[in-house]
Amino acid sequence: MDLPESKMQERSYYQPTANSVENLPTVLQTFHNTPRVMLSPHWHAQVEVNFIVQGWVHYRMAGYELRLAAGDMVLFWGGLPHQMDDASDDAIYAGAHLPLVHFFRLRLPEEVPARLMAGATLLIRETDSSDGANFARWNGYTRSGDMVRAQHAVSELLLRLERVRFEPYALLPSLDAHAGQASAADPQALRHVRNLCDFIADNFLDDIDSADIAAAADLHPKYAMSLFKKCTGMTLNDYVSLLRLSYAQARLISGDGNILRVAMESGFGSLSGFNKSFRKIAGMSPSDFRRSGQGERPILAPVEPGTAPQA
């Protein structure tokens, strides 16, 4: 859905860069504003939730398109290419970029997590009037500077997402849909990145390396690493580590096992490697993370008006 040149000139638009959101994978970001049309797809290592307050928006996802109207809510994995390429003049949307640690804590219907990590979008169309007011309040709470309010907003948002098990929802595209539709970016590059992400999502808890990931997508390792870095701003190894660390954080928060067991079951070959990677991403040791109750006090990055993350 290409924008006419006159419409582009009238509208505020957004040109994603590789480091627009991707450098903050452990930060929760909330937004409630007018979306800017994106000139190209982007990726970020967080799960994204969008609620359309008014108007409509159009998305190009990894291999399919999606049009959302006021009252629609979606949840999708931002690690695959996505682009809001059109929107009504009166569109307003709200939502959040959720660090993976929150995603792994969500109690969603059994089929949902794997489908989301493989590129599907969870669509909830039968929302109610309270959702619009809640998203506005949650955004206000995260901007308040009050950590108690901020944590309350996170807890309410996660509970709202978990409520989908009691409501009608859809996972798009359907399992029998064709996965190779045209995309706004290089279709071949997008297919390669999606294949890489699919394999990582299915196997990040196992002993895999860049050669294994590249082979699964029928790519030369050097080309796979270069393409992934160019498209996502992260190396393949950093991406795998991020998923493993986020999974481990969720385990530590729940008190599920000692640190050595968590390290081994999160895909790390040694406790020293786990500690090093954990410090790099979380800024503290796993034991300090557990003792400090970090999971009960999320890292927040409220975004100033007009600079919200783009869907």
Side-chain angles (χ1 to χ4, degrees), residues 20-86:
S20 57
V21 178
E22 297 81 347
N23 288 339
L24 300 172
T26 61
V27 171
L28 171 71
Q29 295 180 306
T30 63
F31 52 94
H32 190 292
N33 64 10
T34 299
R36 290 183 290 164
V37 170
M38 299 177 67
L39 296 181
S40 62
H42 78 155
W43 295 256
H44 54 82
Q46 296 152 313
V47 175
E48 186 162 339
V49 54
N50 285 177
F51 176 77
I52 311 306
V53 179
Q54 69 179 43
W56 59 266
V57 300
H58 183 271
Y59 291 81
R60 290 183 185 269
M61 310 302 280
Y64 59 100
E65 298 183 21
L66 188 61
R67 191 181 191 274
L68 303 174
D72 290 346
M73 182 166 63
V74 293
L75 181 70
F76 60 89
W77 166 229
L80 289 170
H82 55 282
Q83 175 188 8
M84 181 185 291
D85 66 342
D86 200 3

Side-chain angles (χ1 to χ4, degrees), residues 138-170:
W138 297 334
N139 187 55
Y141 276 11
T142 60
R143 294 174 182 275
S144 68
D146 183 335
M147 291 304 295
V148 175
R149 291 191 180 194
Q151 177 57 46
H152 198 73
V154 174
S155 298
E156 285 193 13
L157 173 58
L158 297 184
L159 285 172
R160 174 62 187 93
L161 294 174
E162 290 179 350
R163 204 175 83 202
V164 302
R165 66 171 58 248
F166 308 123
E167 303 171 331
Y169 67 85

Side-chain angles (χ1 to χ4, degrees), residues 55-253:
W56 59 266
V57 300
H58 183 271
Y59 291 81
R60 290 183 185 269
M61 310 302 280
Y64 59 100
E65 298 183 21
L66 188 61
R67 191 181 191 274
L68 303 174
D72 290 346
M73 182 166 63
V74 293
L75 181 70
F76 60 89
W77 166 229
L80 289 170
H82 55 282
Q83 175 188 8
M84 181 185 291
D85 66 342
D86 200 3
S88 62
D89 293 337
D90 63 341
I92 296 177
Y93 78 146
H97 287 171
L98 293 172
L100 282 171
V101 62
H102 293 306
F103 175 70
F104 286 123
R105 295 171 68 191
L106 282 170
R107 294 165 295 184
L108 296 170
E110 185 175 355
E111 64 174 333
V112 173
R115 290 285 306 279
L116 292 182
M117 295 299 286
T121 295
L122 175 67
L123 170 63
I124 306 101
R125 283 214 155 105
E126 294 191 19
T127 55
D128 55 56
S129 59
S130 66
D131 286 317
N134 284 336
F135 274 100
R137 179 166 49 81
W138 297 334
N139 187 55
Y141 276 11
T142 60
R143 294 174 182 275
S144 68
D146 183 335
M147 291 304 295
V148 175
R149 291 191 180 194
Q151 177 57 46
H152 198 73
V154 174
S155 298
E156 285 193 13
L157 173 58
L158 297 184
L159 285 172
R160 174 62 187 93
L161 294 174
E162 290 179 350
R163 204 175 83 202
V164 302
R165 66 171 58 248
F166 308 123
E167 303 171 331
Y169 67 85
L171 285 167
L172 305 174
S174 60
L175 286 173
D176 59 353
H178 187 263
Q181 298 176 25
S183 176
D186 177 3
Q188 185 175 19
L190 295 185
R191 283 195 296 271
H192 288 328
V193 172
R194 178 170 182 172
N195 289 339
L196 294 170
C197 289
D198 284 350
F199 179 80
I200 294 170
D202 289 339
N203 299 278
F204 72 92
L205 295 178
D206 299 327
D207 183 16
I208 59 172
D209 58 22
S210 297
D212 299 320
I213 299 168
D218 293 324
L219 300 175
H220 188 279
K222 288 186 177 180
Y223 175 72
M225 289 187 286
S226 175
L227 177 66
F228 196 84
K229 174 70 173 179
K230 178 180 179 181
C231 291
T232 69
M234 292 179 288
T235 68
L236 282 172
N237 288 335
D238 284 345
Y239 186 77
V240 172
S241 292
L242 177 62
L243 266 64
R244 289 173 174 170
L245 261 297
S246 299
Y247 181 83
Q249 285 179 318
R251 294 285 304 276
L252 290 171
I253 289 170

